[in-house]
Amino acid sequence: MNGTWDRRAFIKRVALGCAGMGGIATAGTLLVDAGRDAPLAATRSSQVRDFRAGLDLEEIARLVVSAAGEAAEATRAAIASLGGMGRFVRRGETVVIKPNVGWDRTPLQAANTNPAVVAALVALCVEAGAASVVVTDNSCNEAGRCFTRSGIWKAAEGAGAAVVLPAPHRFRAYDLGGVALGRMPVLTAAVEADRFINVPIAKHHGLSVFTGAMKNLYGVLGGRRDRLHQRIDDSIADLADFVRPTLTVMDATRVLVRNGPQGGDIGDTEEVGRVIASVDQVAVDAHACGLVHVARADLPYLRLAAARGLGAADPGRVSLREIS
Amino acid sequence: MARAGRTSWRGLRWARRVTQIASAALFLALIAATASLTGSGFDAATSATVPYPVEAFLDIDPFIGALVVLSTGAIPGALVFGGIVLALALLLGRAFCGWICPFGAMHHGISEAPPGRPAAARIAANRPRAYQKMKYVVLAVSLVAAICGSAIGGLLDPISLATRGVSLTVVPFVNYALGGALEAGAGSGVGALQGASDALYEATSGVAVYQRGFLVVGGVLVAIVFVAALVANRWIPRFFCRGVCPLGAMLGTAGRFGVLALVKDAEACDGCGQCQVHCSQAAGPKPGEAWLRAECDLCLNCVAACPKGAIRFGLAGRKTDEKSAPDVGRRQVIAGAALGAAIVPILRTGTLTSPIGRPDPACIRPPGAVDEEEFLARCVRCGQCMKICPNNALHPALDEAGIEGLWTPVLVPKVGYCEPTCTLCTQVCPTAAIRRVREDEKTGKNGAPMVRIGTAFFDQGRCLPWAMGVPCTVCEEFCPTSPKAITTRETEVVVEGRTAVLKVPFVDPRLCNGCGACEHVCPVRDRAAVRVTSAGETRSPRSQLLLGGGDPTAGRKHGS
């Protein structure tokens, strides 16, 4: 830096600097731009998650309504009536159990799935020889508190499952290929297993009127799911189309009949004492909505789902077995 | 003889170092302990309760105790611990600063960290100087302002400043940096890196990385003060302790008639200056100069460093070569006191939002916060409530509570809402600016009157059903009260010339507790179509909205 530059040296340096910056900019543009158009241009093909591989759906197509004792006992009786968990979960398979853990509420407030039902299903999967059982959900309230206060964290781990919380890095974009829903972030732990057991709770819901099995699949999504409400019925049918569970086990031991989906007061709940199980998620909802005093006719999404061949919107078309 | 004495001083100095490090570690551990309140080890039915006294360091701080006693005239229960520390100071002066204070330990560590400076520069930096008088003025301003009703002195309290700095700037920084790195690792597509990142995420989740993130609105201002206080040590060792700290000034003043004194033997001293090189508090350790009793924090560096054994601490009365009283002029203290008396009226008449002005819509206080006038008399801005909030809902105020209310807690629903079943912030406030609230008081169950922190208002020009005829009502879904404060009515709306019937939302101000869940989840993301303001908060008569609003349960009805 001694002395001053002569004109020649100055021009040389400036030219060199410009060339350097130009080179960096060119390389950067190439690197950044590479693949810029790829994701949007990708074909919109649905990545349906079907967890029913190898099941003889004709043979087990029935709706079991179990009122056999307390929650755990009723759950075991319902699964036994469907032919036992071994029919759905084979030795060495990985299983994800998706209860409703949406809210910072205690079990008595019936905003989340009964932890005893979850624990019973975890134990049944372990007994059937599952290699691993994961319990997960993308909660609405703060997830740590939801899993704790619902009692599901303790119950699931106690029964031998791993609890996976919805951390930001645990989502990946899937193409739902639906009428209303396209590319959405999906909780990978919820959809990357051999078997998927949906374990909703029957509840009143302000907008969709009733939330049960199909609406519970909302919990596999991340991102801007607050916009689903703008086309709630199409969205619910899209979700049921995207995730086709191995089995649906609905907790209707204590149901939320008003102020759903959060409740908050035991006065909002009614004791029903039932657990409903089926491979047909549409039929489960069609049957269970009556338990929270909602008519099937008030649920457009049942018709939409049935029209897509996802199940029976009229439970009369499925053989019903009641256990007490 | 001299040799043996020097060795034992060195042992004691190690004891001081160990105590200091342990104290700082405990301080950080208590901040981390506010995080892990969920997991499979907790029962469903019980409310989350803070298992450790996470505010312990604030409880034992006699300066904070003094502020609250002077500002409210009431004596907080936890003050007894502060009283013990003050009583110890009567005997041992600023030993707390040198041995216990976690912020002091941070300053000490940074001051001593390599690279060191030449001995001559250190001697110059450690010579007693006029800036050290400043802390007595800070103390006078703070105490007189407290008498006038403001705990604003908490801004410079060392424990409060350190708690705020670590909780609201270091923790979010680590969350962002580490969380980002772990997310990148977990999404890298490289098997081993993915597994390791996910495992590390799991191990640090809720302590160092937060699932929902942890951001602090306006935290950068908090960071500037915190970092500046720490970085200043590189020019003047323990600058904050020597020049600013009002707690140090208080303990130094209290120690005026202490029992320990630095005994100097001018005959033995060869003037090597080692005591001055290592003096942490610029307290004049060298024989021949005056020992400043009110500055010395008994760190023992000087006696451990002296090669001749010319100085020692001993049980002795006042020495002739010491200055016992704080080295500050009476006029400076009187000027400080006058400023303290003036600052409260200046701040309160200069801002609309103050206990004598009008409520600010954004000044939404935590549940259990006492009325604004008393709140400003108690809140020392430590940030504990903001750190423990599991929804990241509480943030340090900028001007929402007036200039006086800088860094007091306000709810920012856009970032997080107040979970109706959560009472954590009410459990950690060291000065009862937020009084303890039970879960049923927040939800208004079991006959308890509901604690309301504000009220939601719809902006019908932005609301999807109201303004655009698009179905939505996410706000109704998330409204956590029972019965719901947000209900929907089937209403005819005209969209593109045709009439559609859809559900539009309304708020019932008698049922709304102001939690902000609706604003938080509103899909209109930039400025929500439903927003909470402080109107109707139960703590304040001047905020009341409805006639009979003093009883929030009035008009409650069940069902919908």
Side-chain angles (χ1 to χ4, degrees):
Chain A
M1 294 290 170
N2 291 333
T4 52
W5 295 341
D6 59 23
R7 185 174 299 146
R8 179 186 295 270
F10 175 74
I11 291 172
K12 229 165 123 179
R13 283 189 182 235
V14 169
L16 216 69
C18 287
M21 284 191 285
I24 290 168
T26 310
T29 310
L30 288 175
L31 284 172
V32 171
D33 277 0
R36 176 189 271 180
D37 298 327
L40 284 179
T43 50
R44 268 188 45 100
S45 65
S46 156
Q47 297 168 291
V48 166
R49 307 296 299 166
D50 195 334
F51 297 94
R52 301 172 300 184
L55 294 188
D56 185 349
L57 293 174
E58 293 295 313
E59 194 195 341
I60 47 182
R62 69 175 79 100
L63 190 67
V64 176
V65 179
S66 168
E70 296 289 307
E73 201 187 327
T75 306
R76 283 181 170 271
I79 302 301
S81 174
L82 284 172
M85 190 58 91
R87 209 158 199 174
F88 305 96
V89 174
R90 311 273 151 76
R91 188 159 293 282
E93 287 184 330
T94 54
V95 184
V96 61
I97 290 179
K98 161 66 182 78
N100 188 327
V101 201
W103 308 100
D104 187 345
R105 297 288 192 217
T106 59
L108 270 181
Q109 293 169 328
N112 303 309
T113 305
N114 185 331
V117 172
V118 178
L121 288 169
V122 171
L124 285 169
C125 291
V126 172
E127 286 163 26
S132 72
V133 184
V134 163
V135 173
T136 192
D137 189 14
N138 187 13
S139 307
C140 296
N141 295 147
E142 199 272 320
R145 282 181 65 93
C146 293
F147 275 84
T148 304
R149 299 257 302 169
S150 65
I152 286 175
W153 204 332
K154 192 173 201 173
E157 280 197 3
V163 166
V164 176
L165 295 193
H169 65 276
R170 292 176 178 150
F171 289 84
R172 215 177 68 202
Y174 273 79
D175 191 344
L176 275 64
V179 175
L181 304 182
R183 252 178 112 74
M184 296 276 295
V186 171
L187 183 57
T188 47
V191 297
E192 289 182 356
D194 300 317
R195 301 294 176 191
F196 183 104
I197 302 178
N198 191 16
V199 198
I201 174 171
K203 289 190 289 185
H204 163 263
H205 189 281
L207 186 63
S208 63
V209 188
F210 168 75
T211 167
M214 290 189 273
K215 176 71 168 58
N216 192 41
L217 298 172
Y218 185 97
V220 308
L221 297 181
R224 287 294 309 279
R225 51 183 185 169
D226 52 3
R227 290 180 299 177
L228 271 57
H229 298 66
Q230 295 166 25
R231 292 177 68 180
I232 190 80
D233 293 302
D234 283 331
S235 297
I236 292 174
D238 282 352
L239 276 168
D241 212 345
F242 170 63
V243 179
R244 301 179 186 180
T246 315
L247 184 62
T248 299
V249 182
M250 178 174 286
D251 162 30
T253 52
R254 179 179 285 277
V255 301
L256 190 59
V257 294
R258 59 182 157 264
N259 270 313
Q262 287 194 65
D265 192 330
I266 297 170
D268 298 329
T269 68
E270 281 177 15
E271 194 149 2
V272 173
R274 286 187 169 76
V275 172
I276 302 156
S278 178
V279 291
D280 183 341
Q281 55 179 339
V282 188
V284 170
D285 276 348
H287 178 86
C289 61
L291 299 176
V292 298
H293 317 302
V294 171
R296 284 201 295 282
D298 291 338
L299 301 180
Y301 64 78
L302 290 179
R303 269 185 288 107
L304 293 174
R308 296 194 204 181
L310 298 174
D314 174 5
R317 295 176 54 191
V318 184
S319 76
L320 179 71
R321 183 181 289 176
E322 297 197 63
I323 319 169
S324 55
Chain B
M1 175 71 190
R3 183 82 210 163
R6 192 172 141 212
T7 309
S8 73
W9 290 123
R10 286 188 167 185
L12 275 172
R13 182 178 58 178
W14 270 110
R16 186 262 299 163
R17 286 174 177 158
V18 169
T19 310
Q20 249 183 322
I21 291 167
S23 181
L26 179 64
F27 175 77
L28 296 176
L30 287 175
I31 287 178
T34 55
S36 49
L37 297 170
T38 56
S40 56
F42 292 86
D43 277 320
T46 50
S47 303
T49 310
V50 187
Y52 320 99
V54 294
E55 74 287 12
F57 278 97
L58 294 149
D59 284 344
I60 64 168
D61 181 335
F63 175 64
I64 284 180
L67 288 181
V68 177
V69 169
L70 294 174
S71 65
T72 65
I75 297 179
L79 185 76
V80 59
F81 300 109
I84 293 171
V85 171
L86 194 59
L88 273 172
L90 289 173
L91 299 175
L92 299 173
R94 293 184 68 178
F96 178 88
C97 308
W99 290 61
I100 309 288
C101 180
F103 202 31
M106 293 179 204
H107 292 298
H108 207 120
I110 293 173
S111 301
E112 301 283 311
R117 291 188 288 173
R122 297 183 64 171
I123 290 174
N126 291 342
R127 196 157 278 148
R129 304 227 187 241
Y131 71 84
Q132 286 164 265
K133 301 176 198 296
M134 199 163 60
K135 60 182 175 293
Y136 300 104
V137 179
V138 171
L139 177 67
V141 171
S142 303
L143 294 181
V144 177
I147 293 170
C148 298
S150 178
I152 195 167
L155 285 173
L156 290 175
D157 172 78
I159 308 292
S160 177
L161 204 165
T163 307
R164 186 194 317 132
V166 173
S167 300
L168 305 186
T169 68
V170 177
V171 173
F173 177 85
V174 170
N175 165 67
Y176 189 88
L178 181 61
L182 293 180
E183 273 171 44
S188 64
V190 182
L193 186 57
Q194 268 182 319
S197 301
D198 197 53
L200 190 56
Y201 183 93
E202 199 66 54
T204 57
S205 179
V207 178
V209 294
Y210 289 82
Q211 189 198 325
R212 282 201 164 178
F214 185 59
L215 68 89
V216 177
V217 177
V220 68
L221 285 179
V222 178
I224 286 171
V225 172
F226 181 62
V227 172
L230 294 178
V231 171
N233 292 301
R234 299 304 298 176
W235 285 273
I236 301 175
R238 296 196 68 155
F239 171 76
F240 181 86
C241 314
R242 295 179 185 178
V244 184
C245 184
L247 174 60
M250 187 177 180
L251 298 176
T253 308
R256 180 168 183 174
F257 304 108
V259 294
L260 280 183
L262 188 62
V263 182
K264 301 177 179 179
D265 180 356
E267 303 286 302
C269 175
D270 68 356
C272 72
Q274 279 301 304
C275 53
Q276 292 170 304
V277 169
H278 295 284
C279 178
S280 68
Q281 285 293 85
K286 194 180 175 191
E289 63 180 7
W291 176 58
L292 303 179
R293 181 182 279 274
E295 302 295 320
C296 177
D297 67 1
L298 300 183
C299 73
L300 310 181
N301 277 354
C302 58
V303 286
C306 180
K308 299 286 180 191
I311 45 176
R312 62 177 178 90
F313 280 99
L315 285 170
R318 280 209 272 172
K319 312 303 292 180
T320 48
D321 55 354
E322 78 166 60
K323 186 165 172 21
S324 315
D327 184 21
V328 60
R330 184 174 300 160
R331 287 179 184 177
Q332 289 161 318
V333 174
I334 291 171
L339 179 59
I343 199 165
V344 175
I346 289 170
L347 291 175
R348 291 192 181 172
T349 52
T351 24
L352 182 61
T353 309
S354 75
I356 60 171
R358 283 189 170 240
D360 187 292
C363 185
I364 305 169
R365 294 294 193 192
V370 294
D371 189 24
E372 189 66 12
E373 187 163 5
E374 196 184 347
F375 190 84
L376 291 173
R378 287 180 179 271
C379 177
V380 292
R381 291 94 162 144
C382 65
Q384 291 266 25
C385 52
M386 309 174 208
K387 168 65 175 65
I388 203 165
C389 177
N391 278 357
N392 193 195
L394 296 174
H395 297 263
L398 288 172
D399 64 345
E400 292 89 337
I403 296 169
E404 183 191 355
L406 180 73
W407 297 343
T408 56
V410 290
L411 188 92
V412 181
K414 196 166 177 172
V415 185
Y417 56 93
C418 183
E419 183 60 55
T421 57
C422 175
T423 60
L424 292 175
C425 63
T426 80
Q427 297 174 32
V428 297
C429 182
T431 61
I434 308 172
R435 69 167 182 82
R436 286 193 171 232
V437 170
R438 294 189 317 271
E439 187 177 329
D440 60 2
E441 289 177 286
K442 279 196 74 185
T443 56
K445 298 295 170 198
N446 307 330
M450 180 177 71
V451 174
R452 183 204 309 277
I453 58 175
T455 304
F457 294 87
F458 277 99
D459 183 343
Q460 294 183 356
R462 295 177 72 83
C463 175
L464 294 181
W466 275 109
M468 297 158 214
V470 174
C472 182
T473 66
V474 183
C475 50
E476 187 262 5
E477 180 180 7
F478 266 80
C479 180
T481 62
S482 174
K484 281 181 186 293
I486 294 179
T487 52
T488 60
R489 285 176 223 159
E490 303 243 323
T491 305
E492 284 189 357
V493 285
V494 179
V495 193
E496 291 171 358
R498 67 194 165 74
T499 307
V501 176
L502 52 84
K503 291 175 173 170
V504 298
F506 291 84
V507 64
D508 183 341
R510 293 166 301 178
L511 298 174
C512 180
N513 61 10
C515 72
C518 50
E519 180 175 343
H520 183 71
V521 300
C522 179
V524 188
R525 305 285 283 189
D526 57 340
R527 184 192 296 134
V530 56
R531 299 191 292 278
V532 172
T533 77
S534 62
E537 52 180 349
T538 38
R539 71 188 184 114
S540 169
R542 70 187 180 135
S543 295
Q544 292 313 305
L545 195 62
L546 303 173
L547 187 62
D551 175 12
T553 58
R556 280 173 75 83
K557 56 187 187 300
H558 212 91
S560 52

